[in-house]
Structures are given as C-alpha cells and as structure tokens.
Amino acid sequence: MDAIMEKANAARTERPDLNAESIQFRAISNDYTVPDDVCESYEAVYNMLAEVDAAYQN
C-alpha cells in the first residue's frame, strides 16, 4: 500500500501508473471474488477494491 500511496502522491494531478498493482490485486483476490465465509467488513473491502480498480481501468 505504501508503494501505491507514493505513486499517487508523486503523480500529483496526473493519473498514477498502478497497472502492476491492479494486476496483482486481481490475481490475489481471484478477480475480487468474495469468499463465502467472510465478515461484512472483509466483503466491503473486496467490493471497494473492485470499484476502485474498475474506475482506474476506465
């Protein structure tokens, strides 16, 4: 997460290059598939990450 924040801060008003991080998040989370046995907070984080990733990709 520190690397993402550093890239975002360095980019200032430009769009930061977060493609590598997005790819890694999608791989780790199986494309943001929420596991069946998680709490609501865990599910909310997955959904938030999926929304941020979708917004970034557009």
Side-chain angles (χ1 to χ4, degrees):
M1 284 299 202
D2 289 337
I4 292 173
M5 290 304 296
E6 286 177 20
K7 285 184 177 183
N9 289 335
R12 299 186 188 215
T13 59
E14 299 297 318
R15 183 177 173 185
D17 181 7
L18 300 175
N19 286 321
E21 290 81 357
S22 294
I23 290 168
Q24 187 175 15
F25 275 132
R26 286 191 298 272
I28 291 169
S29 67
N30 192 27
D31 287 324
Y32 306 105
T33 302
V34 178
D36 293 332
D37 59 344
V38 298
C39 68
E40 292 176 7
S41 296
Y42 195 99
E43 182 176 0
V45 169
Y46 264 49
N47 291 332
M48 177 203 60
L49 289 171
E51 289 177 22
V52 169
D53 189 25
Y56 178 77
Q57 298 305 318
N58 290 326

